[in-house]
Amino acid sequence: MLNILHRVGVTSAPEDVYAALTTVDGLANWWTEETDGDGDVGGVLRFRFIPGGFDMKVLETRPAELVLWEVVDGPEEWLGTQVRFELKREGDFTIVLFRHEGWREPVEFMYHCSTKWATYLMSLKRLVETGKGEPAPHDVQISNWH
């Protein structure tokens, strides 16, 4: 299995990052404005983009430490994969260790998603540091796939 990995440091408290990862408002302000659902363990969060979207089942959360989702609906390449955000404090930074785990093969869509995850993680950074992220549809367009 293959994984997408990113590490981003933000100058905000782990609790603020955690809130941006576990509330519909927080998620809608850095990933996609079209977000709804239940961010509690066992709940399903729905994220919509042009085109398509993803449904994530919340598997585990630990305040200011961990958010873990499983993709239960979306593109075939994403089904069954997991999205993990680990948070830890290092000096003045909260470190976000991101993993999109369980890709079966390194298809071209994985390359695209790796770059998009990086842009959205920078949107998360901007949101928790400045109060304003760049969620879809205001995100950086990286190709003809958006």
Side-chain angles (χ1 to χ4, degrees):
M1 296 287 176
L2 302 164
N3 304 325
I4 294 171
L5 307 171
H6 292 287
R7 180 183 186 273
V8 176
V10 302
T11 56
S12 298
E15 295 79 11
D16 296 336
V17 179
Y18 181 80
L21 296 171
T22 56
T23 64
V24 169
D25 275 352
L27 292 160
N29 280 297
W30 70 268
W31 197 15
T32 179
E33 291 180 342
E34 290 192 48
T35 298
D36 67 27
D38 179 0
D40 294 330
V41 172
V44 174
L45 292 162
R46 289 172 294 281
F47 305 97
R48 296 297 173 258
F49 298 84
I50 298 171
F54 313 97
D55 291 357
M56 308 283 191
K57 181 176 183 179
V58 180
L59 298 181
E60 185 178 355
T61 60
R62 278 181 280 171
E65 292 181 12
L66 175 73
V67 175
L68 178 62
W69 303 324
E70 180 180 357
V71 181
V72 294
D73 193 25
E76 183 179 339
E77 296 92 345
W78 278 45
L79 292 177
T81 63
Q82 294 185 348
V83 176
R84 174 186 306 264
F85 301 87
E86 293 179 28
L87 309 176
K88 63 181 181 174
R89 193 71 177 174
E90 288 186 5
D92 294 336
F93 287 88
T94 296
I95 304 300
V96 179
L97 295 176
F98 170 86
R99 290 188 284 196
H100 186 169
E101 308 171 298
W103 289 75
R104 292 180 288 282
E105 56 185 321
V107 295
E108 189 174 350
F109 188 46
M110 184 180 181
Y111 291 77
H112 170 81
C113 292
S114 181
T115 304
K116 286 306 288 190
W117 274 123
T119 65
Y120 286 122
L121 289 167
M122 295 309 293
S123 175
L124 170 64
K125 176 181 174 65
R126 279 187 290 282
L127 174 65
V128 297
E129 289 181 348
T130 71
K132 183 159 176 48
E134 294 177 350
H138 311 288
D139 55 312
V140 175
Q141 186 170 357
I142 62 167
S143 75
N144 58 326
W145 291 356
H146 188 58

